[in-house]
């Protein structure tokens, strides 16, 4: 009919993008050992492939499995640092990465194991007590460290004017498992050793050893 324009049908092209499902390409640290009271290293993840915006959620588990864990509230970024550990045992963490793209599978990281062990054990210094005259030969005091995380220990000796293994004065260069006390100054000095290890929180302090330096005998007549 006159005055009526013919209808034109047009169909827009539809572009469908297919992408591979996301994969975790940066896994968290697989295992680390720390001592009671220590902190673990930061756990990190990243992914490749997938489409859309990523959402992260970390979980903790009582077994070495990256499913069936307990959701950690607020742990929703690509990195997570567990809290300080105060109980020995093994703890496991993993992360799920979800993309907003339609049909994208959830990418799940491997588990990160954190092994928490007791602090190193330090024996009492031996000998625990010495009394000798000024400038007389003196015996080394020594301790034995064991357990903890591995077999690497660092030693630092301290001196104190009171019988206490805190608040002492660091002795420069006294960094082995044994130490030769001074024998030239009259008085009572207490010595103790702080033992540390590279793993976080691994530190123990020995009890004190007492050294009593008395004046040498003198002629009165």
């Amino acid at each position: 009919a006159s005055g009526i324009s013919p209808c034109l049908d047009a169909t827009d092209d539809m572009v469908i993008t297919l992408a591979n499902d996301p994969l975790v390409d940066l896994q968290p640290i697989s295992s680390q050992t720390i001592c009671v009271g220590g902190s673990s290293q930061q756990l990190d993840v990243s992914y490749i492939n997938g489409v859309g915006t990523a959402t992260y959620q970390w979980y903790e588990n009582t077994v070495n499995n990256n499913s069936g864990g307990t959701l950690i509230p607020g742990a929703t970024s690509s990195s997570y640092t567990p809290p300080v550990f105060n109980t020995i045992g093994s703890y496991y963490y993993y992360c799920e990465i979800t993309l907003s793209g339609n049909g994208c599978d959830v990418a799940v990281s491997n588990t990160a194991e954190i092994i928490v062990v007791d602090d190193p054990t330090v024996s009492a210094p031996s000998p625990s007590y010495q009394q000798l005259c000024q400038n007389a030969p003196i015996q080394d005091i020594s301790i034995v460290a064991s357990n903890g995380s591995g077999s690497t220990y660092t030693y630092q000796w301290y001196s104190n004017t009171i019988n206490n293994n805190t608040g002492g004065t660091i002795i420069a260069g006294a960094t082995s498992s044994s130490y030769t006390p001074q024998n030239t100054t009259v008085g009572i000095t207490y010595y103790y050793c702080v033992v540390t290890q590279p793993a976080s929180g691994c530190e123990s302090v020995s009890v004190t050893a007492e050294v009593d330096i008395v004046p040498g005998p003198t002629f009165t007549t």
Side-chain angles (χ1 to χ4, degrees):
S2 61
I4 299 177
S5 301
C7 295
L8 298 177
D9 292 331
T11 302
D12 294 332
D13 291 335
M14 178 178 292
V15 177
I16 299 175
T17 301
L18 297 178
N20 291 325
D21 284 317
L23 295 173
V24 178
D25 66 335
L26 173 63
Q27 299 286 355
I29 301 170
S30 61
S31 182
Q32 52 183 306
T33 301
I34 63 176
C35 286
V36 170
S39 300
S40 76
Q41 298 181 51
Q42 179 176 285
L43 307 177
D44 297 290
V45 294
S46 66
Y47 71 94
I48 56 174
N49 304 330
V51 173
T53 303
T55 300
Y56 302 87
Q57 180 59 63
W58 288 87
Y59 294 80
E60 58 182 343
N61 212 342
T62 56
V63 295
N64 190 5
N65 199 322
N66 63 351
S67 65
T70 301
L71 182 147
I72 304 173
T76 55
S77 70
S78 60
S79 62
Y80 173 68
T81 302
V84 172
F85 293 90
N86 294 312
T87 305
I88 62 173
S90 295
Y91 302 82
Y92 303 93
Y93 297 88
Y94 63 93
C95 185
E96 291 186 354
I97 305 173
T98 304
L99 293 179
S100 60
N102 186 28
C104 291
D105 289 341
V106 176
V108 184
S109 75
N110 297 335
T111 55
E113 180 184 32
I114 300 175
I115 303 170
V116 183
V117 299
D118 274 329
D119 287 320
T121 302
V122 181
S123 67
S126 179
S128 60
Y129 175 75
Q130 297 184 73
Q131 185 183 58
L132 60 151
C133 290
Q134 188 177 20
N135 297 316
I138 194 167
Q139 185 177 347
D140 289 352
I141 52 177
S142 61
I143 55 98
V144 176
S146 58
N147 302 324
S149 173
S151 58
T152 300
Y153 305 97
T154 300
Y155 306 90
Q156 180 59 63
W157 288 89
Y158 291 77
S159 64
N160 211 343
T161 56
I162 59 175
N163 190 6
N164 201 323
N165 64 351
T166 61
T169 301
I170 190 171
I171 304 172
T175 55
S176 71
S177 60
S178 62
Y179 172 67
T180 305
Q182 68 86 22
N183 63 346
T184 58
T185 302
V186 172
I188 297 176
T189 306
Y190 300 92
Y191 299 91
Y192 63 92
C193 187
V194 176
V195 177
T196 57
Q197 292 182 292
S200 175
C202 295
E203 178 178 298
S204 289
V205 185
S206 75
V207 297
T208 57
E210 179 181 349
V211 176
D212 184 7
I213 307 297
V214 298
T218 59
F219 289 106
T220 60
T221 301

